[in-house]
Amino acid sequence: MDTDGLVRLGSTLAANWQGLLSLYAFVGIIALSLAGGWLISLIPAVGAQTRLNRDTLAQKMQKESYAANHKWNRKWALLFQAIIFTAILPFCLKPGLPSIGALLLDCIVILMVYDFFYYLTHRFLFHDSDFVGGPLKWMHAIHHRQHNPCRMDSSYIHPLEVAIGLGLYVATIAALAAIMGRFDVVTVTVTFVAFSQINLHNHNLWGEGRFLWGYAKYASDMHHHHHAKFTGGNFATITPLYDWMFKTLDYGEGGYSGTTRPAKKA
């Protein structure tokens, strides 16, 4: 490409780069996560689970290798966030406020499209499978060292797997923005928080199951069944829909029980 072509490309990118909107989304994600987490923790049932997970994390952090993994990931997370909020999301955002209906629809579409591709990645790349043999099982095995995870074990993971998971999520937003048009800052903010909090909750030690907490306990229990062994099901992360569709639901006893051939060692 000649100099004039590079100049035109740079001008086009600069004209379409919405860095300020991406900054708004970044600040909004932090603010909504902190404020929402604080408010919901005031509910007695949630507060009890929060303390349980916090105390469990404190015990696990006493192990040097465990603490080192979290420190390792925090460093890489800064790089991943920088790439996401400077090189990807600025080309997916537009100003304005969505209606409630548009907000909910866009959030559902983003999360469900992401979850479909995450299901395929998790099932066929991260776990032993008849189809491709689980080529990244060695990487995912680090996460599965936690057989009974607590909330922050969502981050006990190989940095390359973090890159794959986050990359798949922002790639979903970018692809859908190209198809559906750019998303409002509020939409991306709410969806990003939902994506993060659902993944965190799936790892929660969660005992409350009365009344409105039934599904919260179900979601946590299902992911704990997944962690309990490396040959189980429950590969989706947002809802159990795709596991139900593809018959990989795992209730801990019976149900999906891995591949039809002997599992390899991690």
Side-chain angles (χ1 to χ4, degrees):
M1 185 179 292
D2 58 21
T3 303
D4 289 340
L6 290 174
V7 171
R8 287 194 297 272
L9 176 60
S11 298
T12 300
L13 290 175
N16 287 281
W17 190 76
Q18 295 288 342
L20 186 58
L21 294 183
S22 187
L23 177 62
Y24 290 159
F26 180 74
V27 173
I29 289 165
I30 295 175
L32 183 58
S33 298
L34 292 176
W38 176 74
L39 285 172
I40 196 170
S41 69
L42 298 178
I43 301 172
V46 178
Q49 314 306 315
T50 300
R51 290 188 294 274
L52 172 62
N53 284 272
R54 184 181 59 216
D55 293 344
T56 302
L57 176 64
Q59 293 175 13
K60 291 187 174 188
M61 289 293 282
Q62 298 301 311
K63 188 175 181 180
E64 185 176 347
S65 61
Y66 183 91
N69 180 274
H70 279 280
K71 183 178 180 180
W72 190 27
N73 274 311
R74 283 195 297 271
K75 291 180 179 179
W76 280 101
L78 295 175
L79 173 62
F80 299 150
Q81 298 294 341
I83 293 172
I84 290 170
F85 287 95
T86 62
I88 301 175
L89 287 187
F91 297 100
C92 305
L93 296 170
K94 66 179 181 180
L97 292 173
S99 66
I100 297 298
L103 171 64
L104 292 176
L105 178 60
D106 286 345
C107 286
I108 291 172
V109 170
I110 291 171
L111 291 174
M112 294 308 294
V113 170
Y114 157 77
D115 206 28
F116 174 73
F117 288 102
Y118 181 80
Y119 172 91
L120 297 178
T121 301
H122 194 182
R123 179 177 177 181
F124 295 111
L125 298 185
F126 291 159
H127 284 263
D128 198 29
S129 68
D130 294 330
F131 184 45
V132 293
L136 300 181
K137 185 179 177 182
W138 62 271
M139 182 191 302
H140 193 55
I142 293 175
H143 187 55
H144 269 265
R145 289 175 186 170
Q146 306 305 316
H147 300 296
N148 186 34
C150 67
R151 183 175 180 85
M152 287 309 296
D153 283 331
S154 173
S155 299
Y156 186 89
I157 196 169
H158 194 289
L160 289 177
E161 186 175 340
V162 178
I164 291 171
L166 281 175
L168 185 61
Y169 176 70
V170 295
T172 299
I173 293 178
L176 289 175
I179 297 169
M180 302 168 59
R182 294 185 177 218
F183 295 106
D184 303 279
V185 172
V186 174
T187 297
V188 171
T189 299
V190 171
T191 309
F192 206 111
V193 172
F195 157 77
S196 301
Q197 293 302 313
I198 291 171
N199 277 286
L200 284 166
H201 173 74
N202 287 342
H203 295 83
N204 264 333
L205 292 169
W206 190 272
E208 181 59 71
R210 296 172 296 173
F211 307 114
L212 298 177
W213 305 114
Y215 184 77
K217 178 171 173 53
Y218 171 81
S220 175
D221 286 351
M222 292 296 276
H223 197 67
H224 278 71
H225 295 324
H226 174 79
H227 268 265
K229 55 186 183 296
F230 211 178
T231 56
N234 303 338
F235 300 109
T237 188
I238 301 300
T239 80
L241 175 64
Y242 299 120
D243 284 288
W244 173 78
M245 288 174 59
F246 300 116
K247 297 180 170 47
T248 54
L249 285 174
D250 182 358
Y251 295 98
E253 295 180 1
Y256 183 81
S257 57
T259 62
T260 57
R261 56 193 174 87
K264 303 174 184 177
K265 291 183 179 180

